[in-house]
């Protein structure tokens, strides 16, 4: 499970039986849990560092002869009102890079329209449904951006381009790219800490979102244990 920062990692860890053991990996440190529990990774902020850290962990696991069967990108996020209010959970059925492409005189073009690359990864549909049922998370598109939205105009533009978007974060697409390179399925689960739009720190509810993460993963451990990683 990959978060951006340690406080998110620790929120997930509170739902797991501990204690965790710190295990060095190239450029990062895993928190490993006993009894075949998950590994947690504070992968860093932004899609590039998240991809690099996740890829390092995946490569190390494969070289150890114990490859992962699932990668989960998780943490807090901005939510698009009114569908994803503060304190709610969102599970991605599409993980989409919101700003990977080119600006043209006719508007933004994703790299796929330029003839190369990818901008969207699709988590296993059955797993998305199971997570939504277990946690109450709403399924939809989670956008990844290198720059978070800070204006109403930008929020409206993103919703126009991505009508199914429920949340915006900075790591999911990078984590998904690393997982795809290793042929491992990916999931993204986010707790909403603030509305997408003008930056209003007084409206942020980071503590509530972290508590929602802990509660969610308390319900998901049995599901991840029983899920068939060969589902695509």
């Amino acid at each position: 499970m990959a978060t951006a920062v340690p406080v998110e990692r620790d929120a997930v860890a509170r739902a797991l039986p501990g204690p965790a053991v710190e295990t060095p990996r190239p450029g990062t440190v895993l928190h490993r849990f006993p009894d075949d529990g998950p590994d947690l990774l504070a992968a860093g902020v932004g899609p590039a560092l998240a991809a690099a850290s996740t890829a390092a962990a995946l490569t190390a696991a494969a070289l150890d002869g114990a490859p992962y069967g699932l990668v989960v990108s998780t943490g807090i996020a901005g939510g698009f009102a009114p569908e994803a209010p503060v304190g709610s959970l969102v599970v991605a059925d599409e993980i989409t890079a919101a700003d990977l492409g080119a600006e043209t005189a006719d508007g933004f073009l994703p790299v796929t329209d330029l003839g190369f690359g990818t901008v969207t990864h699709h988590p296993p549909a059955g797993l998305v449904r199971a997570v939504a049922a277990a946690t109450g998370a709403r399924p939809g598109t989670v956008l990844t951006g290198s720059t978070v939205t800070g204006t109403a105009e930008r929020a409206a533009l993103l919703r126009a381009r991505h009508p199914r978007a429920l949340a915006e974060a900075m790591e999911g697409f990078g984590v998904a790219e690393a997982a795809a390179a290793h042929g491992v399925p990916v999931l993204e689960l986010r707790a909403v800490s603030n509305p997408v739009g003008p930056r209003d720190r007084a409206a942020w509810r980071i503590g509530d979102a972290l508590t929602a993460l802990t509660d969610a993963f308390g319900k998901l451990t049995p599901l991840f244990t029983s899920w068939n990683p060969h589902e695509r």
Side-chain angles (χ1 to χ4, degrees):
M1 298 181 187
T3 69
V5 294
V7 68
E8 295 168 315
R9 177 199 64 205
D10 294 345
V12 176
R14 284 193 288 272
L16 304 174
V21 176
E22 293 189 2
T23 304
R25 285 292 183 258
T28 189
V29 176
L30 290 177
H31 283 221
R32 315 198 85 161
F33 285 80
D35 301 324
D36 296 322
D39 293 347
L40 297 185
L41 171 67
V45 174
L49 183 53
S53 299
T54 302
L58 286 163
T59 299
L63 292 174
D64 286 345
Y68 293 111
L70 176 68
V71 177
V72 180
S73 176
T74 191
I76 63 176
F80 287 95
E83 293 88 352
V86 171
S88 67
L89 295 168
V90 172
V91 59
D93 56 19
E94 294 182 343
I95 301 170
T96 296
D99 52 6
L100 183 60
E103 291 288 352
T104 75
D106 297 320
F108 178 80
L109 292 178
V111 292
T112 48
D113 286 7
L114 301 176
F116 55 91
T118 185
V119 293
T120 295
H121 292 278
H122 294 91
L127 183 59
V128 171
R129 289 192 297 269
V131 169
T135 65
R138 182 164 184 166
T141 301
V142 176
L143 302 179
T144 299
S146 296
T147 303
V148 297
T149 297
T151 66
E153 292 77 12
R154 173 68 176 171
L157 180 63
L158 288 176
R159 285 304 297 269
R161 289 179 186 165
H162 308 281
R164 297 184 66 254
L166 295 180
E168 174 193 69
M170 299 181 72
E171 293 78 34
F173 185 78
V175 172
E177 286 279 85
H182 282 261
V184 180
V186 67
L187 181 77
E188 185 169 11
L189 177 67
R190 294 284 175 175
V192 176
S193 59
N194 57 276
V196 175
R199 289 176 63 81
D200 178 9
R201 294 183 69 92
W204 294 2
R205 298 292 182 267
I206 292 176
D208 292 344
L210 294 173
T211 297
L213 270 188
T214 302
D215 292 345
F217 280 94
K219 300 169 183 175
L220 290 176
T221 299
L223 173 62
F224 290 150
T225 301
S226 62
W227 179 69
N228 179 2
H230 298 292
E231 180 195 351
R232 293 291 186 269

